[in-house]
Every structure is written in structure tokens, then in C-alpha cells.
Amino acid sequence: MSDQDTILDEHIAGEYKYGFASDIAQETVAAGLSEDTVRFISAKKNEPEWMLEWRLTAYRQWLKMKQPHWQNVHFHDINFQDIIYYAAPKKKPEYKSLDEVDPELLAVYDKLGLPKEEQKILAGVAVDFVMDSESVITTYKATLAEKGIIFCSISEAIREHPALVKQYLGSVVPPRDNYYSALNSAVFSDGSFVYIPKGVRCPMELSTYFRINAQNTGQFERTLIIAEEGSYVSYLEGCTAPMRDENQLHAAVVELVTMDNAEIKYSTVQNWYPGDKEGKGGIYNFVTKRGLCKGVNSKISWTQVETGSAITWKYPSCILKGDNSIGEFYSVAVTNNYQQADTGTKMIHIGKNTRSRIVSKGISGGKSQNSYRGLVQVAGTAENAYNFSQCDSLLLGDKCGAHTFPYLEIKNKSAQVEHEATTSKIGEDLMFYCNQRGLTSEEAVDMIVNGYCKEVFKQLPMEFAVEAQKLLSISLEGSVG
Amino acid sequence: MLHIKNLHARVGDKEILKGLTLDINPGEVHAIMGPNGTGKSTLASIIAGKTDYEVTAGEILFHGKNILEMSADERAREGIFLAFQYPVEIPGVSTTNFMKAALNAKRKHQGLEPITAKDFLKLMNEKRQLVELDKSYLSRSINEGFSGGEKKRNEIFQMAMLEPLFSVMDETDSGLDIDALRIVAEGVNKLRNKDNAFLVITHYQRLLNYIVPDFVHVMYDGRIVKTGDKNLALRMEEKGYDWIKEEVGA
């Protein structure tokens, strides 16, 4: 026991410096995936036996599954034996100073207005920890602890709050749900855990940004958020700055659960490396995100701004089980150059008087392909269910593509389902109008696109929205001829 | 200020302007009248820099610079403004944001710092009153759900904000009731000064009762065929365009 405590202490103490100075877990497992890999990961994380078993079950299920190909994106089959499933953070940062970093990347950081220290972390430059940020994090954690809120890494939660994890992990996205959720369940590296107790309104936006170790949890991230009765939390995921990353495949799983009268607002800004202008390199972002409105009058709201990744493939969804529960999905998906996105949502109405709202804005430029895929399902039990879907596509140029795949499965006659879809181009008249007022074509596109996405942006927390707007401008650079 | 010499332009195979010449000096208001399809709106578009037309001969000098070599946005920043006949809607972009971007684009061109939020609000408040535009319009998406009259007032409001040296008004009076016409015209009159100039394109004399021109030109078949003072507009109103056609031997 005392041994375990020591290890635990080391981990907790080491967590903050994870990846920069710590000597813990410097090893890397050889490429490839087997039961041994799963055991290795679990052991490295000092997981209890039940967690290992859970991972192994998922692994065995994954073995029986096949890579899905129904999505409207194209890529070569991934060789899962080529992937390194456990890589401890690099002992030494790649660069000694910002001077060694790709100037183009730095130019983007400057445009986003990021402080130099932050740029260093993102680009993988050695940093000395700033005392300021450490104290910020401490204050922050104290405030949360006072309210009984748990916000920690999922690894920590497995060790410290096993009962909660055991009860909810995989309860919304079961490992067998799909190929990538099974894979994630077997090998997930880390992620976030949030628990909001009954009646508590989380006093601040929770963001992984404040957790330094989040820099290194990329590849198979696992997030679990539980909002007890009458509670509220707003969670921000991601970062507007393009992060340097060695991993090609990102297969995260996010699970949300709301009890009676609880609300979770989950906002994402995703800007992984999209590959170069010829479409080489870039991240595959295959994510399973799902929320369960378990209690009555509960609400889950997804807002996403997706500008990065070579391939984005995800459908943040809501299962509206509790009567009167509400699901929302607001999305801006931007693709440029050779990027591909197949994204949308699923709204599963089970409870009575459940309501859902979908607002999707797809913007395609360059030679990119952008698909919206959405399912609205109304079960026989869902009396008076209501859905409104609005799917708009904007094309910049004539070499890109926009596609909409709406699926409706309605099994209750009292349901009311509305679907609106538009596809538009930025007309010459509109461009000329803006030009005539002195705006360059690039400034005009910026303004028009930001206006087009306003309905989604206004769902984001203020600061995030401002960053998202800047990000959009940068992503669309060079998209107009 | 603006000198158009022997301008020829076409769209596709169709020649629309056939040797148009026009000189406009600071402080002047010129009106162009003429029947449909004679090239009035084409002239406005070409001055503003719309690329649908091919200029085959002639030149347009603005303060000595050949603007045919400039893009539309460059011309705008140099001080050319077009009040559109059919202003477009820009969903999600408020008039406030649009004007701020436009004004700062121009200021940047002039080597000035972006306007401060305080000065900008003050300026907007002052200018919107010129055309009696309610404050609420400024925060709404530009022209979205505006009536025809409100759109035109918004055009003149933008003109007031940007203080162009040379403004073209392309049938600003079309679709306006008599009250809106008066408001728009009075707004324009307040903007007139010794340094700026206006080109007013219209079908009807009634606008010219309010915005009194120094010169009236009659355009026919891609050319200016007659020039006079404000009385020419009255004669046009009275006699129609047929006598012009006869006079030029069409």
C-alpha cells in the first residue's frame, strides 16, 4: 500500500511537469498492437485489475471488427501494427528556441495573438515553467474543489474515483459501438474527467487548456463528463493554434451524461494539422462523441468549429432519454486545399417532449470535400418530439464539393421534424459590393464567411468565439482565386 | 477630377458604350438621363470597377490616375463610391461591422490608424441622422429584411460614412416613395461640398428637383448626345426621349 502511495504521489506531483522534466515513464513500447500492448499501457498507468479487464474486453471485440468504409472520405487503410500505442513524452523538446521553429507556423501563432510562452509549448520548444501559470492553476483547482467539482485526468480518476468511472465509462459509448471506439477503449492514453455534484453550477468554463499534461494526451483521448441533478458545466476542448503533432491517427471518445435538470455545454475548436497544400500529411481525426440526456429536463449542447485535420470524421450526438430533454448541435466545418470532412450529428429521441436543434455550416474551398451527415431518430415512445435542422453549405471556388446526407427515422406520428438545407456560393454581386466599399477580396470573404457562421459562433463563450473568427480567416487564406 | 475620354466597352460581343466622354470637376453635380438600355448603369459599373465589362478603348482618369488599371477595392479606397441600384444583403454581417471594416480599409490606405471605437460610434450616430436611419438598423444584418427605401437610405448612410470624393448614384430614386426620396436627396445635399462631386443616374426629373444638378446629360446608344443645365431635365420630362432620338437621327 505504501508503495502504491509513493507511486501515486510521484504521478500526481509529476503530472504538472509531464513531458518536460519528469523521469516517469520514459519508455516507449514497440510499434504494434497485441494483448501485451494493452497490458503494458494499463500497467504503466497503475490501473486496477478491473480497468485492465475492461480494456482487454474492448481489444478482443476490436479484433473481430472491420475498418468502416461507408463515410464519404478517402484514405488508405490504416496499418494498426505501425502505430506506437504508448509513447512517453519526449525527454527533450525538439527545439531549443523559437528561432528553430518553422516561421510559417510562428506567423500563424502571431496572427492568433498568442503569447510567446504559449507559442513555445505548442511548437515543442523548451520552456521554463512560469510561476504565474502555476499559481493560476492552483487557485483554479481550489475553487473547484470547494464546490465538490472533480476535474482531473481520466487516469487520475480511475485511481481516485473508481466507483464513478466504473459506473459511467462506456455507458454512453460502449467499446463495441464502433471500430474506433473499441480501439480507443483498449488503448486510450489519457483524457479528462469531470464530475459536477448535485445542484452545482460550475463557476468557470472548464478547459483542458489549463491542464498542462493535455499537451501529450493526443492520440487516443478519453473524456467523461458527468453532470448530476440540477448541475451545469461548460467545457471547452481544443485549441485554436495548430499544434505540431507526430501522430497521424486521432481516435478520441467523449462521453457526457446529464441527470435531471442538468446541462452540459461542450465546445470544441479543432485545428489539427491539415496537411500541406498538396494534401500530404495531416491528421486523421476519427472521434466518437456522444451525450446521454438521462434525466428529465436535461440538456446537452455541442458546439464545434472544425478547421483542421486532413480528415475529420465525427458526429457529436445526443440521446434524449429523459422526458423534456434537449439536444443541440451547432457546427462550423471548414475545409480547404485537400481536406476532407464527414461530420454531423445524431439526435435520438426516446423520451416524451424531447427537442433537438441542428445548425450546421459547411464551408469548402480549394479542392476539399465537405459532407454533412445527420440522423434524426424518433422512437415510438417519444411523444411530441421536435427537431429542427438547418444545414447550409458554402462553396468557395469551383473545385470543392459539398454534400448533405440527412437521415430521418420517425416512429411516432406526433413528431414534428423540420429540415432546411441550402447550398450557396459567394456571388459576384456580393463580392463586388464589398470590393466597392474598399475591402479586398480576401477581407470580403472573411467577413462574409464570419457572418455566415455567426449563428454558431454566438454559441461559443466570448473569448473562444473571437479566436474562432480569427482562425477561420487564417484557414481560408488563399481559398479565393 | 474625373475625366472619361472616348470610352468604349462591351459585354461579350455586345458593344454597350460607344465613345463616351465626360468631364467632372470638384464641387459639381452631374445628372445622366436617358432611355432604358442606353448604357447608364454600365457606365456606373465600369467606373466602380466591375469586371463583367471589357473596355476596348478610351480611358478614365481620376485625379490623373488611370483607374482602369485598378481593382474595384483600390478605386474605392481612392475615394470612388457607388450607391447601388440593387444593394445586396450580407447575412450575419451588421452595418456597423461592415462600415468599420470599410472605413478602416480606407484609413489604412491613407496611412491612418484604425478609428477608435468611441470615434466610430460618434461618427455613425452623426451620419445616420443625415438619412434618418434608426439606430436599430445598424446592428442588423446589412440590408437583410430592409425595405427598398431603407436599403437606399443605407447606401447614402454608407456614402456619408466613407466621405468619398466622387460618388455615383445609380437610380437611387427607383422604388422610393416621395418621403424617402426627399430624405435621401436631403442627405446627399448635406454631403455636397467644394471638394467632392456626384454623378446622378436617373430616369426621372423629380429627383433633380431635390438634388439640383449643375449639368444634365442625355445618354443614348452608348454616348452622351446632349448636355445642358437643369432645364434640360425638365424638357426631357415634358417631351420624353423621342425627340432626342429624332435629333440624333436614330
Side-chain angles (χ1 to χ4, degrees), chain A residues 402-423:
Chain A
H403 317 268
T404 305
F405 304 95
Y407 303 82
L408 299 172
E409 292 171 16
I410 315 296
K411 295 205 174 103
N412 188 308
K413 283 182 180 165
S414 64
Q416 192 183 338
V417 176
E418 294 174 29
H419 183 93
E420 286 177 15
T422 64
T423 300

PDB file of all heavy atoms in Angstrom, chain A residues 402-423:
ATOM      1  N   ALA A 402     -19.557  19.993 -51.747  1.00  0.00           N
ATOM      2  CA  ALA A 402     -20.348  19.987 -50.516  1.00  0.00           C
ATOM      3  C   ALA A 402     -21.440  18.934 -50.675  1.00  0.00           C
ATOM      4  O   ALA A 402     -22.031  18.807 -51.750  1.00  0.00           O
ATOM      5  CB  ALA A 402     -20.971  21.350 -50.281  1.00  0.00           C
ATOM      6  N   HIS A 403     -21.651  18.139 -49.651  1.00  0.00           N
ATOM      7  CA  HIS A 403     -22.627  17.051 -49.718  1.00  0.00           C
ATOM      8  C   HIS A 403     -23.459  17.040 -48.449  1.00  0.00           C
ATOM      9  O   HIS A 403     -22.946  17.323 -47.382  1.00  0.00           O
ATOM     10  CB  HIS A 403     -21.916  15.703 -49.858  1.00  0.00           C
ATOM     11  CG  HIS A 403     -20.772  15.731 -50.835  1.00  0.00           C
ATOM     12  ND1 HIS A 403     -20.932  15.419 -52.157  1.00  0.00           N
ATOM     13  CD2 HIS A 403     -19.471  16.082 -50.678  1.00  0.00           C
ATOM     14  CE1 HIS A 403     -19.754  15.563 -52.780  1.00  0.00           C
ATOM     15  NE2 HIS A 403     -18.853  15.967 -51.897  1.00  0.00           N
ATOM     16  N   THR A 404     -24.721  16.705 -48.591  1.00  0.00           N
ATOM     17  CA  THR A 404     -25.576  16.614 -47.406  1.00  0.00           C
ATOM     18  C   THR A 404     -26.274  15.259 -47.398  1.00  0.00           C
ATOM     19  O   THR A 404     -26.863  14.858 -48.400  1.00  0.00           O
ATOM     20  CB  THR A 404     -26.625  17.747 -47.414  1.00  0.00           C
ATOM     21  OG1 THR A 404     -25.933  18.985 -47.526  1.00  0.00           O
ATOM     22  CG2 THR A 404     -27.435  17.751 -46.136  1.00  0.00           C
ATOM     23  N   PHE A 405     -26.139  14.553 -46.284  1.00  0.00           N
ATOM     24  CA  PHE A 405     -26.790  13.244 -46.146  1.00  0.00           C
ATOM     25  C   PHE A 405     -27.693  13.257 -44.912  1.00  0.00           C
ATOM     26  O   PHE A 405     -27.264  12.877 -43.825  1.00  0.00           O
ATOM     27  CB  PHE A 405     -25.751  12.122 -45.970  1.00  0.00           C
ATOM     28  CG  PHE A 405     -24.718  12.046 -47.058  1.00  0.00           C
ATOM     29  CD1 PHE A 405     -23.480  12.664 -46.909  1.00  0.00           C
ATOM     30  CD2 PHE A 405     -24.975  11.349 -48.232  1.00  0.00           C
ATOM     31  CE1 PHE A 405     -22.508  12.590 -47.911  1.00  0.00           C
ATOM     32  CE2 PHE A 405     -24.009  11.269 -49.244  1.00  0.00           C
ATOM     33  CZ  PHE A 405     -22.778  11.894 -49.077  1.00  0.00           C
ATOM     34  N   PRO A 406     -28.917  13.703 -45.063  1.00  0.00           N
ATOM     35  CA  PRO A 406     -29.812  13.676 -43.897  1.00  0.00           C
ATOM     36  C   PRO A 406     -30.552  12.341 -43.806  1.00  0.00           C
ATOM     37  O   PRO A 406     -31.015  11.814 -44.822  1.00  0.00           O
ATOM     38  CB  PRO A 406     -30.791  14.813 -44.195  1.00  0.00           C
ATOM     39  CG  PRO A 406     -30.749  15.022 -45.667  1.00  0.00           C
ATOM     40  CD  PRO A 406     -29.548  14.322 -46.233  1.00  0.00           C
ATOM     41  N   TYR A 407     -30.620  11.781 -42.598  1.00  0.00           N
ATOM     42  CA  TYR A 407     -31.379  10.544 -42.392  1.00  0.00           C
ATOM     43  C   TYR A 407     -32.476  10.836 -41.380  1.00  0.00           C
ATOM     44  O   TYR A 407     -32.209  11.415 -40.329  1.00  0.00           O
ATOM     45  CB  TYR A 407     -30.495   9.427 -41.821  1.00  0.00           C
ATOM     46  CG  TYR A 407     -29.276   9.086 -42.648  1.00  0.00           C
ATOM     47  CD1 TYR A 407     -28.120   9.848 -42.560  1.00  0.00           C
ATOM     48  CD2 TYR A 407     -29.292   7.982 -43.510  1.00  0.00           C
ATOM     49  CE1 TYR A 407     -26.991   9.535 -43.308  1.00  0.00           C
ATOM     50  CE2 TYR A 407     -28.160   7.657 -44.263  1.00  0.00           C
ATOM     51  CZ  TYR A 407     -27.019   8.437 -44.156  1.00  0.00           C
ATOM     52  OH  TYR A 407     -25.910   8.116 -44.901  1.00  0.00           O
ATOM     53  N   LEU A 408     -33.685  10.430 -41.690  1.00  0.00           N
ATOM     54  CA  LEU A 408     -34.785  10.627 -40.750  1.00  0.00           C
ATOM     55  C   LEU A 408     -35.451   9.282 -40.496  1.00  0.00           C
ATOM     56  O   LEU A 408     -35.826   8.596 -41.437  1.00  0.00           O
ATOM     57  CB  LEU A 408     -35.835  11.587 -41.332  1.00  0.00           C
ATOM     58  CG  LEU A 408     -35.377  13.000 -41.674  1.00  0.00           C
ATOM     59  CD1 LEU A 408     -36.475  13.743 -42.422  1.00  0.00           C
ATOM     60  CD2 LEU A 408     -35.006  13.758 -40.413  1.00  0.00           C
ATOM     61  N   GLU A 409     -35.568   8.900 -39.227  1.00  0.00           N
ATOM     62  CA  GLU A 409     -36.282   7.664 -38.885  1.00  0.00           C
ATOM     63  C   GLU A 409     -37.317   8.012 -37.838  1.00  0.00           C
ATOM     64  O   GLU A 409     -36.994   8.190 -36.673  1.00  0.00           O
ATOM     65  CB  GLU A 409     -35.301   6.618 -38.343  1.00  0.00           C
ATOM     66  CG  GLU A 409     -34.329   6.113 -39.397  1.00  0.00           C
ATOM     67  CD  GLU A 409     -33.232   5.235 -38.801  1.00  0.00           C
ATOM     68  OE1 GLU A 409     -33.387   4.763 -37.652  1.00  0.00           O
ATOM     69  OE2 GLU A 409     -32.215   5.046 -39.484  1.00  0.00           O
ATOM     70  N   ILE A 410     -38.542   8.105 -38.264  1.00  0.00           N
ATOM     71  CA  ILE A 410     -39.583   8.606 -37.367  1.00  0.00           C
ATOM     72  C   ILE A 410     -40.577   7.478 -37.081  1.00  0.00           C
ATOM     73  O   ILE A 410     -41.218   6.969 -38.002  1.00  0.00           O
ATOM     74  CB  ILE A 410     -40.334   9.805 -38.006  1.00  0.00           C
ATOM     75  CG1 ILE A 410     -39.350  10.792 -38.641  1.00  0.00           C
ATOM     76  CG2 ILE A 410     -41.246  10.469 -36.984  1.00  0.00           C
ATOM     77  CD1 ILE A 410     -38.401  11.465 -37.689  1.00  0.00           C
ATOM     78  N   LYS A 411     -40.706   7.120 -35.824  1.00  0.00           N
ATOM     79  CA  LYS A 411     -41.625   6.040 -35.482  1.00  0.00           C
ATOM     80  C   LYS A 411     -42.767   6.507 -34.582  1.00  0.00           C
ATOM     81  O   LYS A 411     -43.432   5.708 -33.949  1.00  0.00           O
ATOM     82  CB  LYS A 411     -40.838   4.916 -34.784  1.00  0.00           C
ATOM     83  CG  LYS A 411     -39.814   4.263 -35.743  1.00  0.00           C
ATOM     84  CD  LYS A 411     -39.471   2.864 -35.348  1.00  0.00           C
ATOM     85  CE  LYS A 411     -38.590   2.193 -36.385  1.00  0.00           C
ATOM     86  NZ  LYS A 411     -37.192   2.138 -35.976  1.00  0.00           N
ATOM     87  N   ASN A 412     -42.935   7.819 -34.471  1.00  0.00           N
ATOM     88  CA  ASN A 412     -44.050   8.318 -33.676  1.00  0.00           C
ATOM     89  C   ASN A 412     -44.733   9.428 -34.469  1.00  0.00           C
ATOM     90  O   ASN A 412     -44.089  10.399 -34.874  1.00  0.00           O
ATOM     91  CB  ASN A 412     -43.554   8.855 -32.330  1.00  0.00           C
ATOM     92  CG  ASN A 412     -44.705   9.204 -31.406  1.00  0.00           C
ATOM     93  OD1 ASN A 412     -45.617   9.936 -31.786  1.00  0.00           O
ATOM     94  ND2 ASN A 412     -44.662   8.682 -30.199  1.00  0.00           N
ATOM     95  N   LYS A 413     -46.040   9.260 -34.665  1.00  0.00           N
ATOM     96  CA  LYS A 413     -46.753  10.185 -35.545  1.00  0.00           C
ATOM     97  C   LYS A 413     -46.864  11.597 -35.002  1.00  0.00           C
ATOM     98  O   LYS A 413     -47.149  12.531 -35.739  1.00  0.00           O
ATOM     99  CB  LYS A 413     -48.155   9.643 -35.831  1.00  0.00           C
ATOM    100  CG  LYS A 413     -48.129   8.524 -36.846  1.00  0.00           C
ATOM    101  CD  LYS A 413     -49.527   8.037 -37.147  1.00  0.00           C
ATOM    102  CE  LYS A 413     -49.464   6.914 -38.183  1.00  0.00           C
ATOM    103  NZ  LYS A 413     -50.718   6.180 -38.243  1.00  0.00           N
ATOM    104  N   SER A 414     -46.671  11.754 -33.704  1.00  0.00           N
ATOM    105  CA  SER A 414     -46.811  13.091 -33.137  1.00  0.00           C
ATOM    106  C   SER A 414     -45.543  13.924 -33.340  1.00  0.00           C
ATOM    107  O   SER A 414     -45.497  15.095 -32.985  1.00  0.00           O
ATOM    108  CB  SER A 414     -47.136  13.005 -31.639  1.00  0.00           C
ATOM    109  OG  SER A 414     -46.043  12.414 -30.954  1.00  0.00           O
ATOM    110  N   ALA A 415     -44.520  13.325 -33.904  1.00  0.00           N
ATOM    111  CA  ALA A 415     -43.244  14.029 -34.062  1.00  0.00           C
ATOM    112  C   ALA A 415     -43.363  15.158 -35.078  1.00  0.00           C
ATOM    113  O   ALA A 415     -44.106  15.059 -36.058  1.00  0.00           O
ATOM    114  CB  ALA A 415     -42.163  13.058 -34.498  1.00  0.00           C
ATOM    115  N   GLN A 416     -42.607  16.198 -34.816  1.00  0.00           N
ATOM    116  CA  GLN A 416     -42.539  17.289 -35.781  1.00  0.00           C
ATOM    117  C   GLN A 416     -41.073  17.483 -36.148  1.00  0.00           C
ATOM    118  O   GLN A 416     -40.231  17.774 -35.295  1.00  0.00           O
ATOM    119  CB  GLN A 416     -43.100  18.552 -35.138  1.00  0.00           C
ATOM    120  CG  GLN A 416     -43.341  19.654 -36.157  1.00  0.00           C
ATOM    121  CD  GLN A 416     -43.820  20.929 -35.486  1.00  0.00           C
ATOM    122  OE1 GLN A 416     -44.341  20.915 -34.374  1.00  0.00           O
ATOM    123  NE2 GLN A 416     -43.630  22.048 -36.175  1.00  0.00           N
ATOM    124  N   VAL A 417     -40.773  17.286 -37.414  1.00  0.00           N
ATOM    125  CA  VAL A 417     -39.379  17.338 -37.842  1.00  0.00           C
ATOM    126  C   VAL A 417     -39.254  18.311 -39.004  1.00  0.00           C
ATOM    127  O   VAL A 417     -39.957  18.173 -40.006  1.00  0.00           O
ATOM    128  CB  VAL A 417     -38.881  15.932 -38.258  1.00  0.00           C
ATOM    129  CG1 VAL A 417     -37.466  16.005 -38.806  1.00  0.00           C
ATOM    130  CG2 VAL A 417     -38.943  14.980 -37.078  1.00  0.00           C
ATOM    131  N   GLU A 418     -38.390  19.286 -38.855  1.00  0.00           N
ATOM    132  CA  GLU A 418     -38.206  20.266 -39.921  1.00  0.00           C
ATOM    133  C   GLU A 418     -36.771  20.238 -40.408  1.00  0.00           C
ATOM    134  O   GLU A 418     -35.841  20.193 -39.607  1.00  0.00           O
ATOM    135  CB  GLU A 418     -38.509  21.681 -39.404  1.00  0.00           C
ATOM    136  CG  GLU A 418     -39.958  21.885 -39.016  1.00  0.00           C
ATOM    137  CD  GLU A 418     -40.171  23.241 -38.369  1.00  0.00           C
ATOM    138  OE1 GLU A 418     -39.423  24.185 -38.689  1.00  0.00           O
ATOM    139  OE2 GLU A 418     -41.082  23.336 -37.526  1.00  0.00           O
ATOM    140  N   HIS A 419     -36.606  20.244 -41.711  1.00  0.00           N
ATOM    141  CA  HIS A 419     -35.249  20.234 -42.257  1.00  0.00           C
ATOM    142  C   HIS A 419     -35.119  21.313 -43.324  1.00  0.00           C
ATOM    143  O   HIS A 419     -35.923  21.370 -44.246  1.00  0.00           O
ATOM    144  CB  HIS A 419     -34.938  18.861 -42.863  1.00  0.00           C
ATOM    145  CG  HIS A 419     -33.545  18.751 -43.386  1.00  0.00           C
ATOM    146  ND1 HIS A 419     -32.512  18.276 -42.636  1.00  0.00           N
ATOM    147  CD2 HIS A 419     -33.023  19.087 -44.586  1.00  0.00           C
ATOM    148  CE1 HIS A 419     -31.398  18.309 -43.353  1.00  0.00           C
ATOM    149  NE2 HIS A 419     -31.683  18.803 -44.544  1.00  0.00           N
ATOM    150  N   GLU A 420     -34.125  22.155 -43.141  1.00  0.00           N
ATOM    151  CA  GLU A 420     -33.857  23.160 -44.168  1.00  0.00           C
ATOM    152  C   GLU A 420     -32.419  23.004 -44.621  1.00  0.00           C
ATOM    153  O   GLU A 420     -31.532  22.789 -43.805  1.00  0.00           O
ATOM    154  CB  GLU A 420     -34.023  24.577 -43.604  1.00  0.00           C
ATOM    155  CG  GLU A 420     -35.465  24.975 -43.386  1.00  0.00           C
ATOM    156  CD  GLU A 420     -35.588  26.360 -42.752  1.00  0.00           C
ATOM    157  OE1 GLU A 420     -34.595  27.111 -42.748  1.00  0.00           O
ATOM    158  OE2 GLU A 420     -36.678  26.653 -42.253  1.00  0.00           O
ATOM    159  N   ALA A 421     -32.200  23.092 -45.912  1.00  0.00           N
ATOM    160  CA  ALA A 421     -30.829  22.972 -46.402  1.00  0.00           C
ATOM    161  C   ALA A 421     -30.607  23.969 -47.527  1.00  0.00           C
ATOM    162  O   ALA A 421     -31.487  24.196 -48.352  1.00  0.00           O
ATOM    163  CB  ALA A 421     -30.563  21.565 -46.889  1.00  0.00           C
ATOM    164  N   THR A 422     -29.444  24.584 -47.536  1.00  0.00           N
ATOM    165  CA  THR A 422     -29.100  25.468 -48.647  1.00  0.00           C
ATOM    166  C   THR A 422     -27.664  25.198 -49.089  1.00  0.00           C
ATOM    167  O   THR A 422     -26.834  24.759 -48.292  1.00  0.00           O
ATOM    168  CB  THR A 422     -29.154  26.965 -48.243  1.00  0.00           C
ATOM    169  OG1 THR A 422     -28.150  27.218 -47.249  1.00  0.00           O
ATOM    170  CG2 THR A 422     -30.505  27.364 -47.696  1.00  0.00           C
ATOM    171  N   THR A 423     -27.416  25.421 -50.354  1.00  0.00           N
ATOM    172  CA  THR A 423     -26.038  25.402 -50.838  1.00  0.00           C
ATOM    173  C   THR A 423     -25.835  26.703 -51.589  1.00  0.00           C
ATOM    174  O   THR A 423     -26.665  27.071 -52.425  1.00  0.00           O
ATOM    175  CB  THR A 423     -25.792  24.223 -51.783  1.00  0.00           C
ATOM    176  OG1 THR A 423     -26.059  23.026 -51.074  1.00  0.00           O
ATOM    177  CG2 THR A 423     -24.363  24.202 -52.277  1.00  0.00           C
TER     178      THR A 423
END
